[in-house]
Amino acid sequence: MEELAKEAGITVRTLRFYRERGLIPPPRRQGRIAWYDEHHLARLRTIAALLERGHTLNGIADLAAAFESGRDVGEVLGLGEPSEETPVRLTPEALADHFEGEVTPENLATALDLGYLATDGDEIVHISRRLLDVSAALVREGVPLAAVLEAGRAVREHAEALAELFTEMLRTHTAETDADRLRPLAKSVVDAELSLALDRRLRRDASD
């Protein structure tokens, strides 16, 4: 414990306090010896970084609980990694930097539930670089992260319906092996229709 505290730059008393609060996992015990490892050190450095960013210990404890109850990468990527999206590995403090002031236990639980985020040891994996960048951009524009996530949930439902429509059409009218090759055509139709729908909606709002 003394070695870990020294490496983390904190006192043994602080380390004991973190252990009592459940902020770090218990050590591996071998007889009367308690072994701490790089996992514990990484957690302590994350706690320090989140404290610097204004999170309270209660908030960090809630975040830790959300992480530990969330799905891991194996569950989220159970069907294989996305064919066109690039997963992104983040530390908890890097995630806090992307969404300054918006990484709450509630938002984290929603993102884990949607499968946007998964855990891999002390790292967080976001399923899509594009979704991460867009979400962060919307938050920087003043849209609450909770609203971004709820919109994402609604979009997910519509996207599932669109994917079912196109796969059924291709399955009916083309060879089964053509579905992946023709996938860009389906995406182009959705992109064009969304662009036209935005034109109509924005013109309607401007005329009201």
Side-chain angles (χ1 to χ4, degrees):
M1 183 176 282
E2 289 178 357
E3 291 173 5
L4 177 63
K6 181 179 179 181
E7 192 72 21
I10 60 176
T11 66
V12 172
R13 182 178 180 182
T14 298
L15 179 55
R16 286 200 178 98
F17 177 71
Y18 287 169
R19 267 192 56 188
E20 291 166 3
R21 293 290 302 274
L23 292 172
I24 63 170
R28 177 176 60 86
R29 294 206 168 267
Q30 190 174 27
R32 298 182 63 183
I33 302 174
W35 292 101
Y36 293 92
D37 55 25
E38 290 298 319
H39 174 77
H40 295 91
L41 182 58
R43 178 66 67 89
L44 289 171
R45 287 173 174 164
T46 292
I47 292 169
L50 292 175
L51 286 171
E52 286 180 6
R53 287 159 173 78
H55 289 265
T56 65
L57 284 177
N58 284 338
I60 293 171
D62 290 340
L63 289 173
F67 278 129
E68 287 163 9
S69 65
R71 292 181 291 176
D72 63 24
V73 174
E75 291 179 85
V76 172
L77 302 180
L79 299 177
E81 293 205 9
S83 59
E84 296 184 3
E85 299 304 309
T86 304
V88 184
R89 288 183 173 272
L90 300 159
T91 61
E93 53 267 36
L95 183 67
D97 286 342
H98 271 83
F99 303 101
E100 188 172 353
E102 294 281 330
V103 180
T104 64
E106 295 76 19
N107 286 338
L108 182 60
T110 300
L112 288 164
D113 180 57
L114 283 167
Y116 287 164
L117 296 179
T119 58
D120 187 13
D122 290 304
E123 285 188 312
I124 303 162
V125 178
H126 196 293
I127 198 68
S128 165
R129 163 64 71 183
R130 288 196 293 178
L131 286 176
L132 173 64
D133 290 346
V134 169
S135 299
L138 287 169
V139 169
R140 286 195 299 271
E141 292 294 330
V143 182
L145 181 55
V148 172
L149 291 171
E150 282 310 304
R153 189 186 297 277
V155 169
R156 169 80 57 83
E157 294 175 3
H158 292 295
E160 290 286 349
L162 288 168
E164 183 177 355
L165 184 156
F166 277 106
T167 53
E168 185 61 32
M169 180 185 71
L170 294 175
R171 193 179 295 120
T172 301
H173 299 289
T174 68
E176 189 170 331
T177 54
D178 285 343
D180 205 48
R181 180 174 62 83
L182 298 175
R183 172 180 177 151
L185 301 180
K187 290 171 59 183
S188 293
V189 170
V190 173
D191 186 56
E193 285 289 357
L194 178 58
S195 180
L196 292 168
L198 285 168
D199 287 343
R200 291 190 295 270
R201 173 67 65 173
L202 293 172
R203 280 198 296 267
R204 192 180 310 138
D205 289 348
S207 63
D208 287 345

